Amino acid sequence: MPFLPLGYKKIHYTDYPPSASQHSQRPRETFIFIHGLGSTQNYYHAIATQLQAQNFRCITFDTTGAGRSPYTQIEQSIESLSEDVMALMDALPVSPDVEKAIVVGHSMGGIIAAHLAATRSDRIVAAILIGPVYPSSKLIPVFEKRIPLVEKEGMDAMANTIPSAATAEGTSPLIKGFIRELLLAQDPAGYCSNCRVIINAKKPDYGKIAIPVLIVAGDEDKSAPVEDCERIYDEIGTGDKRMKTMRNVGHWHCVEKPEEVGKLILDFIQEIQ
């Protein structure tokens, strides 16, 4: 299994090079994907393979304490998880090194991606925020309640509720089963630690973002509702920004309607290139 040591952390990642027929060419761009709370890099698999077929390089990874990246017992923050993204770009063994990239973040990963867009425009050339969480005091009690529940009952407490509560009406049992598996792949202690990341998250400096941005919202998303996405959109400083709202989609956009998300990303890249 491909792991990268990043200081005291061990990060599991997958590198999707351009499709075999185009492998001799340089990638058009490189994407770095950051998943959300209770998820893993596999949330993006369908999106990464779509982009891979269009000669993009895609890198997915499990954030520390999630999926196959072991929990370290050391508390994290939006800032430390952002530093992991930059360290990952520097440490990837596959040539060429990732000098610059487009960052994609879902949910909590959307906070990280926005922070990177605001602070690292020297290496982040565009940002795609999918159902980005807007840090605010109203989120604190939501995630504070989850911690003792998971500490007592394990990840079953989340796996038995979130797949139905956080998806659109009419979502198929197959998709709910996949989300359930993503949740059950979490170390409970790592999940609780990442709940605290959201509880303690400060709002990114959206006004300082000067690179192209795409926000993808779901019209049935209760975790990152359309009005919160619109608020982020309004606060983002760049004039090169767009927001798309997907119909009949909850908070798990990339598994609820992967083909549509992939098309939105490809259209965005075509517009800014």
XYZ file of all heavy atoms in Angstrom, residues 9-88:
641
model
N 3.593 11.739 10.809
C 2.387 11.174 10.221
C 2.735 10.190 9.103
O 3.786 10.295 8.471
C 1.505 12.292 9.647
C 1.099 13.336 10.664
C 0.368 14.488 9.993
C 0.068 15.599 10.988
N -0.598 16.751 10.343
N 1.815 9.266 8.858
C 1.933 8.344 7.732
C 0.652 8.464 6.918
O -0.433 8.148 7.409
C 2.146 6.907 8.225
C 2.439 5.927 7.089
C 2.926 4.573 7.629
C 1.808 3.788 8.264
N 2.188 2.382 8.555
N 0.792 8.941 5.687
C -0.362 9.276 4.864
C -0.525 8.260 3.730
O 0.397 8.036 2.942
C -0.216 10.695 4.273
C -0.094 11.730 5.392
C -1.380 11.007 3.338
C -1.287 11.835 6.299
N -1.700 7.665 3.663
C -2.018 6.758 2.559
C -2.576 7.576 1.398
O -3.434 8.437 1.592
C -3.051 5.714 2.996
C -3.331 4.696 1.937
N -4.302 4.863 0.986
C -2.742 3.505 1.666
C -4.324 3.818 0.178
N -3.384 2.990 0.564
N -2.060 7.316 0.186
C -2.470 8.107 -0.969
C -2.589 7.228 -2.204
O -2.110 6.084 -2.249
C -1.448 9.218 -1.245
C -0.160 8.710 -1.862
C 0.060 8.778 -3.238
C 0.842 8.124 -1.071
C 1.228 8.294 -3.805
C 2.005 7.644 -1.626
C 2.199 7.730 -2.998
O 3.350 7.230 -3.545
N -3.251 7.753 -3.226
C -3.317 7.122 -4.537
C -2.987 8.178 -5.583
O -3.523 9.289 -5.538
C -4.714 6.544 -4.824
O -5.043 5.597 -3.814
C -4.744 5.860 -6.189
N -2.091 7.830 -6.504
C -1.688 8.722 -7.580
C -2.275 8.179 -8.879
O -1.942 7.077 -9.306
C -0.155 8.781 -7.654
C 0.348 9.940 -8.488
O -0.415 10.439 -9.333
O 1.516 10.341 -8.304
N -3.187 8.930 -9.492
C -3.795 8.540 -10.762
C -3.091 9.300 -11.883
O -3.362 10.487 -12.101
C -5.276 8.911 -10.790
C -6.161 8.249 -9.754
C -6.221 8.722 -8.451
C -6.990 7.182 -10.096
C -7.063 8.142 -7.506
C -7.840 6.598 -9.159
C -7.867 7.084 -7.869
O -8.701 6.509 -6.942
N -2.174 8.669 -12.615
C -1.516 9.363 -13.725
C -2.470 9.501 -14.893
O -3.534 8.875 -14.916
C -0.349 8.430 -14.060
C -0.851 7.070 -13.693
C -1.721 7.275 -12.474
N -2.124 10.307 -15.900
C -2.967 10.371 -17.098
C -3.169 8.981 -17.681
O -2.354 8.078 -17.472
C -2.159 11.259 -18.050
C -1.290 12.076 -17.148
C -0.959 11.193 -15.987
N -4.266 8.800 -18.408
C -4.596 7.484 -18.943
C -3.453 6.924 -19.772
O -2.634 7.666 -20.319
C -5.864 7.564 -19.799
O -5.673 8.454 -20.871
N -3.399 5.604 -19.888
C -2.268 4.917 -20.511
C -1.952 5.442 -21.904
O -0.788 5.589 -22.279
C -2.548 3.418 -20.564
N -2.980 5.760 -22.674
C -2.754 6.214 -24.045
C -2.093 7.588 -24.107
O -1.537 7.975 -25.126
C -4.088 6.269 -24.799
O -4.959 7.214 -24.191
N -2.143 8.317 -22.989
C -1.578 9.664 -22.967
C -0.456 9.790 -21.941
O -0.010 10.882 -21.640
C -2.685 10.681 -22.636
C -3.901 10.581 -23.548
C -4.983 11.562 -23.161
O -4.878 12.753 -23.453
N -6.021 11.079 -22.517
N -0.011 8.656 -21.410
C 0.923 8.660 -20.284
C 2.251 9.326 -20.623
O 2.948 9.829 -19.743
C 1.151 7.233 -19.799
C 1.884 7.146 -18.500
N 1.402 7.722 -17.343
C 3.071 6.580 -18.161
C 2.245 7.495 -16.349
N 3.274 6.807 -16.826
N 2.631 9.318 -21.918
C 3.905 9.914 -22.303
C 3.844 11.437 -22.319
O 4.868 12.109 -22.369
C 4.327 9.407 -23.688
O 3.352 9.770 -24.658
N 2.643 11.989 -22.280
C 2.481 13.436 -22.284
C 2.504 13.975 -20.852
O 2.180 13.271 -19.914
C 1.151 13.822 -22.935
C 0.955 13.291 -24.348
C -0.419 13.649 -24.876
O -1.004 14.648 -24.475
N -0.934 12.839 -25.778
N 2.877 15.248 -20.729
C 2.750 15.879 -19.419
C 1.270 16.064 -19.106
O 0.468 16.379 -19.999
C 3.443 17.244 -19.406
C 4.954 17.174 -19.338
C 5.542 18.565 -19.169
N 5.099 19.189 -17.935
C 5.716 19.036 -16.761
N 6.772 18.261 -16.677
N 5.264 19.657 -15.693
N 0.873 15.887 -17.845
C -0.535 16.108 -17.487
C -0.951 17.543 -17.791
O -0.146 18.476 -17.713
C -0.554 15.843 -15.983
C 0.680 15.062 -15.695
C 1.689 15.487 -16.697
N -2.216 17.721 -18.147
C -2.730 19.068 -18.389
C -2.656 19.891 -17.112
O -2.259 21.051 -17.126
C -4.173 18.975 -18.882
C -4.304 18.357 -20.256
C -5.749 18.008 -20.579
N -6.646 19.166 -20.583
C -7.962 19.076 -20.778
N -8.529 17.890 -20.965
N -8.717 20.157 -20.783
N -3.060 19.292 -16.001
C -2.977 19.902 -14.671
C -2.929 18.759 -13.664
O -3.229 17.607 -13.993
C -4.196 20.780 -14.358
C -4.370 22.009 -15.221
C -3.457 23.156 -14.838
O -2.687 22.999 -13.864
O -3.538 24.203 -15.504
N -2.568 19.090 -12.433
C -2.621 18.117 -11.349
C -3.681 18.559 -10.350
O -3.746 19.731 -9.961
C -1.256 17.998 -10.640
O -0.290 17.507 -11.565
C -1.349 17.039 -9.451
N -4.518 17.606 -9.939
C -5.540 17.850 -8.921
C -5.121 17.177 -7.616
O -4.673 16.022 -7.621
C -6.882 17.253 -9.340
C -7.598 17.994 -10.438
C -7.315 17.735 -11.771
C -8.568 18.942 -10.136
C -7.985 18.396 -12.785
C -9.236 19.619 -11.143
C -8.944 19.347 -12.471
N -5.289 17.878 -6.503
C -5.134 17.311 -5.168
C -6.516 17.322 -4.514
O -7.150 18.382 -4.414
C -4.158 18.118 -4.294
C -2.816 18.303 -4.990
C -3.993 17.453 -2.928
C -1.941 17.070 -5.027
N -6.990 16.168 -4.072
C -8.341 16.038 -3.529
C -8.301 15.849 -2.014
O -7.579 14.978 -1.512
C -9.045 14.834 -4.151
C -9.336 14.971 -5.623
C -8.384 14.636 -6.573
C -10.564 15.438 -6.058
C -8.651 14.757 -7.932
C -10.847 15.562 -7.412
C -9.879 15.219 -8.355
N -9.110 16.626 -1.305
C -9.175 16.553 0.157
C -10.594 16.169 0.548
O -11.549 16.900 0.263
C -8.813 17.904 0.801
C -7.520 18.473 0.210
C -8.684 17.755 2.318
C -7.304 19.945 0.533
N -10.745 15.024 1.205
C -12.087 14.560 1.582
C -12.566 15.236 2.864
O -11.833 15.996 3.511
C -12.100 13.035 1.736
C -11.228 12.531 2.847
N -11.577 12.627 4.174
C -10.002 11.930 2.829
C -10.627 12.100 4.926
N -9.648 11.668 4.139
N -13.795 14.934 3.246
C -14.397 15.542 4.422
C -14.409 14.621 5.627
O -13.855 13.513 5.608
N -15.062 15.079 6.684
C -15.185 14.312 7.921
C -15.932 13.002 7.663
O -16.961 12.981 6.983
C -15.948 15.143 8.951
C -16.296 14.455 10.271
C -15.042 14.214 11.107
C -17.307 15.293 11.059
N -15.406 11.900 8.199
C -16.067 10.611 8.075
C -15.924 9.978 6.717
O -16.601 9.001 6.401
N -15.026 10.503 5.906
C -14.855 10.018 4.545
C -13.417 9.549 4.348
O -12.604 9.557 5.273
C -15.210 11.135 3.560
O -15.302 10.649 2.241
N -13.119 9.116 3.122
C -11.758 8.719 2.746
C -11.507 9.191 1.324
O -12.394 9.712 0.645
C -11.542 7.188 2.813
O -12.111 6.570 1.631
C -12.153 6.571 4.061
N -10.311 8.926 0.859
C -9.951 9.292 -0.509
C -10.865 8.629 -1.542
O -11.047 9.157 -2.658
C -8.503 8.899 -0.794
C -8.244 7.402 -0.688
C -6.793 7.053 -0.977
O -6.349 7.094 -2.106
N -6.046 6.707 0.073
N -11.465 7.496 -1.199
C -12.303 6.781 -2.163
C -13.588 7.529 -2.502
O -14.269 7.193 -3.484
C -12.628 5.379 -1.647
C -11.415 4.478 -1.725
O -10.595 4.602 -2.624
N -11.286 3.580 -0.767
N -13.913 8.530 -1.724
C -15.036 9.406 -2.054
C -14.856 9.999 -3.454
O -15.827 10.253 -4.170
C -15.125 10.515 -1.003
C -16.125 11.602 -1.296
C -17.490 11.391 -1.123
C -15.707 12.861 -1.742
C -18.409 12.393 -1.378
C -16.627 13.868 -1.993
C -17.977 13.625 -1.823
O -18.882 14.618 -2.087
N -13.596 10.217 -3.845
C -13.289 10.872 -5.110
C -12.932 9.913 -6.244
O -12.580 10.373 -7.333
C -12.101 11.822 -4.914
C -12.398 13.065 -4.113
C -11.779 13.279 -2.881
C -13.264 14.047 -4.597
C -12.018 14.441 -2.156
C -13.506 15.204 -3.875
C -12.884 15.400 -2.655
O -13.122 16.544 -1.939
N -13.000 8.616 -6.018
C -12.493 7.678 -7.028
C -13.144 7.878 -8.391
O -12.455 7.931 -9.421
C -12.690 6.236 -6.562
C -12.244 5.224 -7.563
N -10.901 4.950 -7.802
C -12.956 4.435 -8.418
C -10.807 4.033 -8.748
N -12.030 3.705 -9.141
N -14.471 7.997 -8.426
C -15.163 8.145 -9.713
C -14.780 9.453 -10.404
O -14.675 9.507 -11.632
C -16.673 8.061 -9.508
N -14.560 10.509 -9.638
C -14.173 11.793 -10.210
C -12.745 11.719 -10.743
O -12.454 12.183 -11.852
C -14.265 12.916 -9.154
C -15.622 12.889 -8.436
C -13.985 14.269 -9.784
C -16.812 13.042 -9.329
N -11.848 11.114 -9.945
C -10.445 11.022 -10.349
C -10.287 10.239 -11.647
O -9.490 10.612 -12.517
C -9.618 10.392 -9.233
N -11.031 9.158 -11.804
C -10.902 8.366 -13.023
C -11.458 9.111 -14.240
O -10.931 8.968 -15.349
C -11.593 6.996 -12.862
O -12.952 7.182 -12.433
C -10.856 6.138 -11.841
N -12.513 9.915 -14.051
C -13.008 10.746 -15.148
C -11.951 11.739 -15.608
O -11.716 11.920 -16.812
C -14.254 11.523 -14.711
C -15.515 10.698 -14.544
C -16.679 11.580 -14.128
O -17.088 12.478 -14.851
N -17.207 11.331 -12.942
N -11.306 12.398 -14.667
C -10.292 13.391 -15.005
C -9.033 12.735 -15.546
O -8.378 13.275 -16.455
C -9.974 14.237 -13.768
C -11.141 15.079 -13.240
C -10.757 15.736 -11.917
C -11.560 16.130 -14.251
N -8.688 11.587 -15.004
C -7.532 10.829 -15.480
C -7.672 10.532 -16.974
O -6.704 10.634 -17.741
C -7.423 9.528 -14.680
C -6.265 8.636 -15.057
C -6.314 7.317 -14.307
O -7.401 6.784 -14.043
N -5.162 6.791 -13.937
N -8.865 10.179 -17.396
C -9.111 9.854 -18.803
C -8.972 11.074 -19.711
O -8.824 10.931 -20.931
C -10.508 9.254 -18.957
N -8.983 12.276 -19.123
C -8.838 13.512 -19.895
C -7.428 14.099 -19.749
O -7.224 15.292 -19.965
C -9.892 14.528 -19.434
C -11.326 14.085 -19.650
C -11.654 13.846 -21.109
O -11.247 14.617 -21.978
N -12.397 12.780 -21.393
N -6.474 13.255 -19.386
C -5.054 13.619 -19.296
C -4.723 14.536 -18.125
O -3.796 15.346 -18.182
C -4.561 14.260 -20.608
C -3.039 14.233 -20.719
O -2.383 13.318 -20.219
N -2.457 15.242 -21.363
N -5.479 14.394 -17.036
C -5.138 15.080 -15.801
C -4.516 14.083 -14.833
O -4.877 12.900 -14.837
C -6.384 15.690 -15.152
C -6.989 16.825 -15.921
C -8.114 16.626 -16.710
C -6.438 18.098 -15.863
C -8.690 17.663 -17.418
C -7.006 19.146 -16.575
C -8.124 18.930 -17.363
N -3.603 14.557 -14.015
C -3.070 13.753 -12.923
C -3.883 14.054 -11.674
O -4.119 15.227 -11.343
C -1.592 14.088 -12.673
C -0.951 13.271 -11.561
C 0.470 13.743 -11.291
N 1.139 12.928 -10.283
C 2.327 13.219 -9.754
N 2.981 14.299 -10.145
N 2.861 12.429 -8.844
N -4.311 13.029 -10.968
C -5.144 13.200 -9.776
C -4.504 12.488 -8.588
O -4.082 11.333 -8.706
C -6.540 12.630 -10.016
S -7.451 13.470 -11.337
N -4.444 13.175 -7.468
C -3.862 12.611 -6.252
C -4.907 12.687 -5.144
O -5.392 13.774 -4.797
C -2.591 13.370 -5.843
C -1.525 13.223 -6.945
C -2.051 12.849 -4.510
C -0.452 14.266 -6.893
N -5.272 11.530 -4.629
C -6.201 11.457 -3.503
C -5.450 10.910 -2.293
O -4.469 10.179 -2.450
C -7.407 10.565 -3.824
O -6.951 9.224 -4.058
C -8.152 11.057 -5.056
N -5.910 11.243 -1.107
C -5.234 10.731 0.091
C -6.204 10.744 1.268
O -7.199 11.467 1.264
C -3.979 11.551 0.419
C -4.253 12.960 0.881
C -4.168 13.287 2.227
C -4.588 13.958 -0.025
C -4.425 14.575 2.667
C -4.835 15.255 0.407
C -4.755 15.569 1.746
N -5.892 9.915 2.250
C -6.641 9.903 3.506
C -5.988 10.889 4.464
O -4.792 10.756 4.767
C -6.639 8.506 4.135
C -7.365 7.476 3.291
O -8.242 7.864 2.507
O -7.048 6.275 3.420
N -6.742 11.876 4.931
C -6.163 12.801 5.897
C -5.813 12.049 7.179
O -6.396 10.999 7.485
C -7.139 13.947 6.224
O -8.356 13.392 6.733
C -7.442 14.778 4.988
N -4.870 12.576 7.917
C -4.405 11.879 9.114
C -5.567 11.617 10.083
O -6.398 12.487 10.338
C -3.284 12.678 9.810
O -2.743 11.900 10.880
C -3.777 14.005 10.349
N -5.648 10.377 10.557
C -6.727 9.977 11.455
C -7.971 9.497 10.747
O -8.955 9.146 11.398
N -7.947 9.466 9.403
C -9.095 9.007 8.618
C -8.668 7.894 7.671
O -7.514 7.854 7.225
C -9.706 10.159 7.817
N -9.582 6.990 7.354
C -9.271 5.919 6.408
C -8.063 5.111 6.844
O -7.994 4.628 7.977
N -7.087 5.010 5.956
C -5.898 4.200 6.239
C -4.720 5.017 6.765
O -3.649 4.460 6.991
C -5.477 3.440 4.964
C -6.418 2.276 4.630
C -6.395 1.948 3.159
N -6.923 3.054 2.382
C -8.229 3.315 2.233
N -9.120 2.533 2.810
N -8.643 4.348 1.532
N -4.900 6.326 6.956
C -3.841 7.150 7.544
C -4.009 7.134 9.060
O -4.990 7.662 9.580
C -3.912 8.588 7.017
O -3.659 8.626 5.632
N -3.068 6.502 9.782
C -3.283 6.251 11.215
C -3.481 7.525 12.038
O -2.900 8.566 11.742
C -1.985 5.528 11.638
C -1.387 5.014 10.368
C -1.788 5.979 9.295
N -4.298 7.388 13.061
C -4.480 8.459 14.029
C -3.209 8.586 14.852
O -2.649 7.599 15.321
C -5.686 8.149 14.924
C -5.930 9.148 16.028
C -6.026 10.509 15.744
C -6.075 8.729 17.343
C -6.256 11.431 16.750
C -6.317 9.644 18.361
C -6.399 10.994 18.056
O -6.631 11.897 19.054
N -2.751 9.817 15.074
C -1.449 10.034 15.712
C -1.534 10.362 17.195
O -0.496 10.506 17.840
C -0.723 11.196 15.023
O -1.480 12.400 15.229
C -0.561 10.932 13.531
N -2.746 10.547 17.722
C -2.948 11.014 19.097
C -2.615 12.494 19.259
O -2.679 13.020 20.379
C -2.105 10.201 20.102
C -2.231 8.694 19.985
C -3.614 8.178 20.343
O -4.250 8.711 21.245
N -4.072 7.162 19.638
N -2.242 13.156 18.182
C -1.923 14.580 18.237
C -3.030 15.354 17.547
O -3.414 15.037 16.424
C -0.562 14.869 17.559
C 0.553 14.141 18.318
C -0.286 16.373 17.511
C 1.909 14.244 17.663
N -3.563 16.353 18.240
C -4.677 17.118 17.687
C -4.246 17.903 16.444
O -3.125 18.418 16.376
C -5.229 18.071 18.730
C -5.979 17.365 19.856
C -7.232 16.655 19.357
O -8.234 17.329 19.070
O -7.203 15.411 19.268
N -5.168 17.996 15.488
C -4.906 18.689 14.238
C -5.735 19.968 14.155
O -6.534 20.277 15.035
C -5.220 17.765 13.065
C -4.431 16.463 13.062
C -2.938 16.685 12.967
O -2.457 17.479 12.150
N -2.173 15.994 13.813
N -5.537 20.695 13.065
C -6.265 21.938 12.817
C -6.370 22.123 11.314
O -5.725 21.398 10.536
C -5.517 23.132 13.428
O -4.265 23.300 12.766
N -7.165 23.076 10.897
C -7.237 23.391 9.471
C -5.846 23.753 8.955
O -5.439 23.340 7.860
C -8.226 24.545 9.212
C -9.655 24.127 9.583
C -8.148 25.010 7.759
C -10.206 22.946 8.806
N -5.099 24.474 9.757
C -3.763 24.894 9.339
C -2.812 23.703 9.203
O -2.063 23.602 8.218
C -3.193 25.908 10.337
C -3.894 27.248 10.345
C -5.259 27.238 11.029
O -5.548 26.291 11.786
O -6.044 28.182 10.811
N -2.824 22.778 10.171
C -1.902 21.639 10.093
C -2.287 20.695 8.959
O -1.423 20.131 8.279
C -1.855 20.883 11.425
O -3.064 20.176 11.670
N -3.593 20.538 8.707
C -4.028 19.683 7.600
C -3.698 20.343 6.259
O -3.408 19.644 5.276
C -5.522 19.401 7.719
C -5.929 18.569 8.947
C -7.447 18.459 9.046
C -5.298 17.175 8.915
N -3.708 21.658 6.212
C -3.290 22.369 5.005
C -1.801 22.167 4.756
O -1.369 21.977 3.606
C -3.595 23.873 5.137
O -4.982 24.101 5.271
N -1.021 22.193 5.827
C 0.421 21.945 5.693
C 0.692 20.542 5.168
O 1.651 20.319 4.415
C 1.104 22.156 7.043
C 1.146 23.615 7.484
C 1.538 23.782 8.938
O 1.842 22.750 9.602
O 1.540 24.928 9.421
N -0.164 19.583 5.537
C -0.007 18.221 5.028
C -0.159 18.182 3.513
O 0.529 17.414 2.819
C -1.038 17.282 5.659
C -0.763 16.977 7.119
O 0.354 17.290 7.592
O -1.656 16.437 7.791
N -1.087 18.976 2.975
C -1.279 19.008 1.525
C -0.014 19.496 0.834
O 0.445 18.900 -0.159
C -2.477 19.907 1.152
C -2.600 20.042 -0.364
C -3.765 19.349 1.742
N 0.573 20.555 1.351
C 1.792 21.079 0.741
C 2.942 20.092 0.880
O 3.731 19.890 -0.060
C 2.171 22.416 1.387
C 1.073 23.476 1.365
S 0.290 23.701 -0.254
C 1.669 24.227 -1.243
N 3.042 19.430 2.039
C 4.095 18.431 2.242
C 3.904 17.245 1.311
O 4.880 16.679 0.794
C 4.105 17.973 3.699
N 2.648 16.866 1.085
C 2.353 15.771 0.164
C 2.805 16.132 -1.252
O 3.407 15.316 -1.956
C 0.850 15.477 0.193
C 0.339 14.339 -0.690
C 0.775 12.995 -0.111
C -1.177 14.381 -0.797
